Amino acid sequence: MAYNLAPLQNLIEQFERMQGIGHKTAQRMAFYVLGLSREEADAFANAITDAHTKIKQCKICCDLADDELCPICKSESRDKSVICVVEDPRDVAAIERTHEYKGVYHVLHGAISPMDNIGPDQIKIKELLARLSEGTVDEVIMATNPTVEGEATAMYISKLLKPMGITVSRLAYGVPVGADLEYADEITLSRALEGRSLI
Amino acid sequence: MAYNLAPLQNLIEQFERMQGIGHKTAQRMAFYVLGLSREEADAFANAITDAHTKIKQCKICCDLADDELCPICKSESRDKSVICVVEDPRDVAAIERTHEYKGVYHVLHGAISPMDNIGPDQIKIKELLARLSEGTVDEVIMATNPTVEGEATAMYISKLLKPMGITVSRLAYGVPVGADLEYADEITLSRALEGRSLI
């Protein structure tokens, strides 16, 4: 691109580093910034620094928090005897959207993946075990992703927890609601058959 | 979205304000920022403030510049007797990519559009006339967009310039190189017929 202006080029490169943002989009974003008022541009820059400085990990569940504890761990109305284990803070948000789950969470920040050199020590399994050692938890729901890595992580953790006398469950597999059976893949469909229930 | 964290929510909203960025993408971007190191996040925030503070308009051609003059107006090797008039700094970059044009530019920062309340005074026409009054310019190439607004702007400016004895030309219309005739629209095709040349 023929922009010989270092500050503009630098901004385009900053946007371009984000996953899924190509050169054209990064350029459009940079021009958006140039079109902002001085106050808006400052607010944008501050939002980045702020989010980065103020957002930490909850001391209990390792979810994102702007305080020692996240809003869910702080809440009096959540059932602390059930822990739902997820890979990522975004998964917490996804489950919260169902408004069905009243327990608390534990965010692993990843899944065991020997291919990527991520072993049990690189994700927040120690922290989960520490929480369970207090003996107040009855059930752990494994809600890691239905991928090879997510499965392996769920299996690994469940093997650690069973000797502790804690019920370990796994999210149900099956056909997604509203989907077309015709387009369901074989593995999902065979899991849905296995897990069929009486009506 | 169930993020009760103000700094994160704020950052997502900042990204979401950009044209073409939906909620999911904005969220992905915000998580990208959280995943940065402290230095990287600061560099990102600085890039925004920097670009906004340091990028101004060239005193001559109104293109973007990080100095009084843009690199093209500063250059000794550009032919100052030909001015190419475009709507936007991005159009300058597009024409520069051809490596064919050796003249200078004038950026209007918009096109006349009564629908959007943009008249001749809202775009940089006065500045163009001031440049031409010096009498050193032989030709003005109108390279506004081939849209109704771009056309109207080109017509308006050419009517102002003709009495001044300046040659005014317009970019050629025709079928884009590499395109399929079958898919060319009627107007483009009829313009291509009109503008046919001997081979």
Side-chain angles (χ1 to χ4, degrees):
Chain A
M1 209 35 170
Y3 292 116
N4 299 320
L5 308 170
L8 180 59
Q9 201 54 50
N10 180 24
L11 184 59
I12 294 177
E13 278 163 23
Q14 287 286 351
F15 282 125
E16 222 174 338
R17 272 185 217 156
M18 290 194 259
Q19 206 197 358
I21 302 297
H23 187 75
K24 284 262 166 185
T25 312
Q27 207 179 299
R28 199 152 38 79
M29 290 173 162
F31 275 97
Y32 159 84
V33 170
L34 293 184
L36 293 176
S37 74
R38 183 63 186 270
E39 292 75 38
E40 287 170 327
D42 285 345
F44 191 6
N46 285 337
I48 289 176
T49 329
D50 255 31
H52 204 268
T53 326
K54 293 189 186 157
I55 304 262
K56 307 178 266 261
Q57 281 181 13
C58 169
K59 290 257 192 257
I60 297 180
C61 73
C62 306
D63 192 8
L64 302 176
D66 51 2
D67 205 351
E68 289 281 280
L69 300 183
C70 74
I72 295 173
C73 284
K74 263 187 211 165
S75 165
E76 298 277 308
S77 64
R78 306 296 295 232
D79 178 0
K80 305 284 198 294
S81 69
V82 185
I83 295 181
C84 178
V85 177
V86 296
E87 292 181 21
D88 194 281
R90 275 163 281 198
D91 301 334
V92 173
I95 297 177
E96 283 298 287
R97 277 200 299 276
T98 67
H99 299 290
E100 289 287 333
Y101 181 67
K102 296 296 168 222
V104 290
Y105 294 90
H106 189 84
V107 181
L108 296 173
H109 290 276
I112 296 170
S113 169
M115 290 268 286
D116 305 311
N117 271 322
I118 302 175
D121 294 339
Q122 272 76 51
I123 61 177
K124 309 281 181 186
I125 293 180
K126 270 195 313 285
E127 289 79 353
L128 175 64
L129 296 178
R131 286 175 78 175
L132 297 175
S133 66
E134 289 162 26
T136 55
V137 176
D138 301 326
E139 184 180 358
V140 169
I141 304 171
M142 298 304 307
T144 48
N145 287 329
T147 56
V148 177
E149 291 80 13
E151 290 298 333
T153 311
M155 286 307 296
Y156 180 89
I157 295 177
S158 72
K159 276 187 185 153
L160 289 177
L161 303 192
K162 282 213 179 116
M164 299 166 81
I166 296 165
T167 312
V168 184
S169 58
R170 180 86 179 97
L171 283 193
Y173 291 106
V175 283
V177 179
D180 219 318
L181 269 199
E182 194 184 346
Y183 302 116
D185 65 290
E186 300 79 1
I187 302 172
T188 302
L189 215 46
S190 65
R191 293 294 195 103
L193 273 172
E194 272 175 43
R196 69 190 180 277
S197 58
L198 291 171
I199 49 170
Chain B
M1 209 38 173
Y3 292 115
N4 299 320
L5 309 169
L8 181 58
Q9 199 56 50
N10 180 24
L11 184 58
I12 294 176
E13 278 162 24
Q14 287 285 352
F15 282 125
E16 223 173 341
R17 275 186 214 155
M18 289 194 258
Q19 208 198 355
I21 302 298
H23 187 74
K24 284 263 166 183
T25 313
Q27 208 178 297
R28 199 151 38 81
M29 289 173 163
F31 275 96
Y32 160 83
V33 170
L34 294 184
L36 293 176
S37 74
R38 182 65 184 270
E39 292 75 36
E40 287 169 328
D42 286 344
F44 192 5
N46 284 339
I48 290 176
T49 329
D50 254 31
H52 203 269
T53 325
K54 293 190 187 154
I55 303 264
K56 307 178 263 266
Q57 282 180 12
C58 171
K59 290 259 191 255
I60 297 179
C61 73
C62 305
D63 192 9
L64 302 175
D66 53 1
D67 205 349
E68 290 280 281
L69 300 182
C70 74
I72 294 173
C73 285
K74 261 188 216 164
S75 166
E76 298 276 311
S77 64
R78 307 295 295 230
D79 179 1
K80 304 284 196 297
S81 68
V82 185
I83 295 182
C84 178
V85 177
V86 296
E87 293 182 21
D88 195 280
R90 273 163 281 196
D91 302 334
V92 172
I95 297 178
E96 283 298 288
R97 276 201 299 275
T98 67
H99 299 292
E100 289 287 332
Y101 181 66
K102 294 297 168 218
V104 291
Y105 295 91
H106 189 84
V107 181
L108 296 173
H109 288 277
I112 296 171
S113 171
M115 292 269 285
D116 305 312
N117 271 323
I118 301 176
D121 295 340
Q122 272 75 54
I123 61 177
K124 309 280 181 188
I125 294 181
K126 269 196 311 290
E127 288 80 354
L128 176 63
L129 296 178
R131 286 176 78 177
L132 297 175
S133 66
E134 289 164 27
T136 54
V137 176
D138 301 326
E139 184 179 359
V140 169
I141 303 171
M142 298 304 308
T144 49
N145 286 329
T147 58
V148 178
E149 292 80 14
E151 290 298 334
T153 310
M155 286 306 296
Y156 180 88
I157 294 176
S158 71
K159 277 187 184 153
L160 289 178
L161 302 192
K162 284 214 179 116
M164 298 168 81
I166 294 164
T167 312
V168 183
S169 57
R170 181 88 179 95
L171 283 193
Y173 291 107
V175 283
V177 179
D180 219 318
L181 269 200
E182 196 185 345
Y183 301 117
D185 64 290
E186 300 80 359
I187 302 173
T188 302
L189 216 45
S190 63
R191 294 293 195 104
L193 273 171
E194 271 175 43
R196 68 191 180 277
S197 58
L198 291 172
I199 49 171

